[in-house]
Amino acid sequence: MTPAVADIRSICCIGAGYVGGPTMAVIADRCPQLQVTVVDLNAERIAAWNHDDLGRLPVYEPGLDAVVGRARGRNLHFSTAVDDAIAAADMVFLSVNTPTKSRGVGAGQASDLRWIEASARQVAAAASGHTIVVEKSTLPVRTAEAVKAILAAAQGDAGGSKTFSVLSNPEFLAEGTAIADLEAPDRVLIGGEDDQAIEALAAIYGHWVSGERILRTNLWSSELSKLTANAFLAQRISSINSIAALCEATGADVREVARAIGSDSRLGPKFLQAGPGFGGSCFQKDILNLVYLCRHYGLEEVARYWEQVVDLNTWQQQRIARKVVLSLFGTLTGKRLAVLGFAFKADTNDTRESPAIRICRDLLEEGAELAIVDPKVDAGQIAADLGQAPGPLGSTTGLVGVGEGTWAAAASPLEAARGADAVLILTEWQAYRHLDWSALAAVMRRPAWLFDARAVADAAAARAAGLTVWRVGEG
Ligand code: NAD
Ligand code: UGA
């Protein structure tokens, strides 16, 4: 029997990542009567969630420290005791990673569901009584079938008392605004077949989300809506980036075009910011997953349509690296570039699929020396992403570069710019809007360039300081 709404006292979330941590923190904050336990196999991550210093949580999100500070130890717990937390829970969220498969059938496109399967098996083994299992991870449409099959195999165990309901409740938060998105979501989506289970989950969100924003659908619509939302959002970015290239060729300005088209209420002003291409852990993987599903169902034209959104994005990243090389007289050997920003967007420490990775790799391939700075990304993460340890930068000491690209972390934009031929802005951190261009120009080698792939810097000030300025989408 599915518990009535009032019977949900304890929930557990498997996966203490960028989604599981913030989502459960907000649920615990808004529902003090619920006990919320977030579990993970990664003991280091759990220790970081339990760190006394709220400035050292494993996920950087504005406002997250305050929410965790209010709820942790009261009704929000982080633990590695996965089975105990499952056994105690009336409702278990699966919020594990679902990256693109790297080998085997569907490699490069299909989602790798091994973590979902493992966590479903763990729930099947450790649950007691009736448990509502909620898919929070982004999953291919019809994954709930597999989750249900795994749970069904354990159904009736423990003297017949073990039973399950499966719901889909995809998450739509964006990193950098996760807390605001969770506290005031545009909508909460719940897909399922068991009305009582749906209402039990809706009642949790109902503590702070108004009823008309809680949408109920069947399981498959819910799963597919998440992939579709990400595909449409990413499509807008590829669309505006394609027009940015045309603006550069024709003398138009993509920001003026974006304002003009965004004023049409049918289009709206959001997600029209041209840049170095979209990054983040989800857009590319979710579109590729959609492409894979379309091919699986024999919809080749539909698959090719969505594939183009990713192809355009890759082209945009390569185009920016090429622009830098060609502007600096076709060679970067022995030249220093200051790279400002490495995270895939501002206000996060996440670098997964960051455009900075491909762009920096292409520049290193050309023999550049990169001085990289980011307010929230450390040198260890940059080394892991570039697949290359930091090395000494030679050209400022008078050495002629030998053609091997090197990089080093810099402590500030000013330090990064010392001896550099160019500054390249790859993340739209607020601080980069207010750089002191006369101070930066004074320590750079002449002639000096600014390549602003986010169009955030004060271009007039940079030009006044003597730099040649390129901004994405400016003809
Ligand atoms: P993440 O990699 O940050 O976190 C996943 C966590 O799950 C990891 O810490 C991992 O150790 C843990 N884990 C995996 N298998 C486990 C198991 N069997 N038992 C215990 N712990 C286990 O991933 P994320 O960014 O939080 O994303 C999670 C899901 O949410 C993905 O499907 C993603 O597509 C989706 N999503 C992400 C975002 C986002 O902004 N990052 C937004 C919406 C949806
Ligand atoms: C995105 C979606 O916005 C969320 O709704 C979704 O839940 C999430 O993916 C997910 O499923 O993981 P996120 O990737 O965190 O969120 O961040 P976005 O704000 O969407 O930015 C994604 C990328 O697009 C970033 O690299 C960003 O710089 C870029 N972007 C965004 C642009 O280049 N231009 C824009 O106008 C907007």
Side-chain angles (χ1 to χ4, degrees):
M1 258 282 286
T2 299
V5 170
D7 291 341
I8 303 287
R9 294 203 176 86
S10 171
I11 68 178
C12 158
C13 174
I14 305 183
Y18 283 86
V19 170
T23 307
M24 292 302 128
V26 169
I27 290 180
D29 192 32
R30 297 303 176 118
C31 306
Q33 78 288 359
L34 274 182
Q35 285 300 316
V36 180
T37 305
V38 191
V39 293
D40 205 295
L41 299 170
N42 183 336
E44 211 180 312
R45 211 165 202 184
I46 290 297
W49 280 112
N50 284 321
H51 205 287
D52 288 341
D53 179 356
L54 288 167
R56 294 178 64 182
L57 298 178
V59 168
Y60 171 70
E61 275 293 339
L64 176 64
D65 50 354
V67 176
V68 172
R70 282 196 293 273
R72 199 178 59 186
R74 178 189 71 187
N75 65 327
L76 175 65
H77 315 280
F78 294 94
S79 163
T80 51
V82 179
D83 287 350
D84 293 349
I86 293 171
D90 305 307
M91 186 179 275
V92 179
F93 290 77
L94 308 182
S95 187
V96 298
N97 35 320
T98 51
T100 304
K101 265 184 102 171
S102 58
R103 53 201 287 190
V105 177
Q109 288 194 327
S111 288
D112 192 339
L113 296 180
R114 74 175 97 163
W115 292 276
I116 270 290
E117 184 178 333
S119 50
R121 285 183 190 280
Q122 229 161 337
V123 175
S128 63
H130 185 78
T131 308
I132 300 173
V133 179
V134 183
E135 296 176 344
K136 179 54 93 178
S137 297
T138 302
L139 297 168
V141 57
R142 298 206 75 86
T143 302
E145 222 159 33
V147 172
K148 278 201 243 174
I150 290 166
L151 298 172
Q155 188 108 356
D157 283 2
S161 67
K162 203 185 265 201
T163 54
F164 302 96
S165 295
V166 177
L167 299 177
S168 161
N169 172 224
E171 184 48 62
F172 295 97
L173 68 80
E175 290 179 29
T177 53
I179 299 303
D181 294 344
L182 288 163
E183 289 183 337
D186 286 347
R187 74 337 207 152
V188 165
L189 181 56
I190 303 176
E193 289 149 358
D194 173 346
D195 288 343
Q196 266 193 296
I198 292 172
E199 293 320 311
L201 180 55
I204 292 176
Y205 286 109
H207 279 94
W208 76 98
V209 180
S210 64
E212 70 276 9
R213 287 183 189 261
I214 302 178
L215 311 184
R216 295 154 176 87
T217 66
N218 76 31
L219 271 170
W220 320 127
S221 303
S222 174
E223 289 180 338
L224 186 55
S225 296
K226 174 63 195 177
L227 292 185
T228 307
N230 275 359
F232 271 57
L233 289 167
Q235 180 198 44
R236 267 173 86 96
I237 302 170
S238 280
S239 297
I240 200 69
N241 284 340
S242 73
I243 298 302
L246 191 57
C247 287
E248 290 166 28
T250 56
D253 184 326
V254 76
R255 278 154 295 283
E256 293 180 352
V257 174
R259 199 171 71 234
I261 66 167
S263 305
D264 186 325
S265 59
R266 292 168 302 173
L267 292 173
K270 294 182 181 167
F271 262 68
L272 288 176
Q273 183 71 48
F278 56 76
S281 61
C282 293
F283 278 173
Q284 177 166 312
K285 100 171 152 63
D286 291 348
I287 295 176
L288 291 176
N289 186 211
L290 195 62
V291 167
Y292 181 75
L293 283 167
C294 292
R295 291 226 160 90
H296 173 79
Y297 289 104
L299 300 168
E300 179 57 29
E301 286 75 10
V302 185
R304 280 212 305 274
Y305 175 76
W306 287 109
E307 207 161 30
Q308 193 57 30
V309 172
V310 175
D311 290 349
L312 197 290
N313 194 53
T314 305
W315 175 79
Q316 176 76 350
Q317 297 177 5
Q318 290 166 339
R319 180 174 93 79
I320 286 172
R322 223 171 19 245
K323 177 79 202 171
V324 173
V325 177
L326 294 179
S327 301
L328 298 184
F329 314 119
T331 176
L332 297 184
T333 302
K335 289 180 183 155
R336 178 177 295 190
L337 270 69
V339 175
L340 274 49
F342 202 81
F344 81 96
K345 62 184 285 194
D347 291 326
T348 177
N349 59 344
D350 195 348
T351 61
R352 290 178 291 180
E353 303 293 339
S354 176
I357 299 172
R358 182 175 280 130
I359 293 171
C360 288
R361 280 191 186 152
D362 284 357
L363 298 175
L364 289 169
E365 185 70 27
E366 290 284 341
E369 295 193 347
L370 306 179
I372 305 175
V373 58
D374 187 288
K376 291 290 171 193
V377 181
D378 62 30
Q381 186 60 50
I382 298 172
D385 289 334
L386 294 179
Q388 183 177 337
L393 300 185
S395 55
T396 47
T397 57
L399 296 176
V400 176
V402 288
E404 296 292 322
T406 52
W407 72 274
S412 67
L414 187 64
E415 188 189 308
R418 204 171 293 283
D421 296 276
V423 170
L424 172 56
I425 298 181
L426 294 181
T427 312
E428 74 283 21
W429 286 101
Q430 189 61 23
Y432 301 159
R433 296 175 194 272
H434 311 291
L435 292 167
D436 179 347
W437 285 103
S438 52
L440 291 177
V443 299
M444 293 175 73
R445 188 164 82 158
R446 301 280 168 144
W449 277 262
L450 163 62
F451 299 97
D452 187 356
R454 295 282 188 173
V456 290
D458 182 344
R463 287 194 179 103
L467 274 71
T468 302
V469 176
W470 173 85
R471 301 171 91 205
V472 67
E474 189 173 79

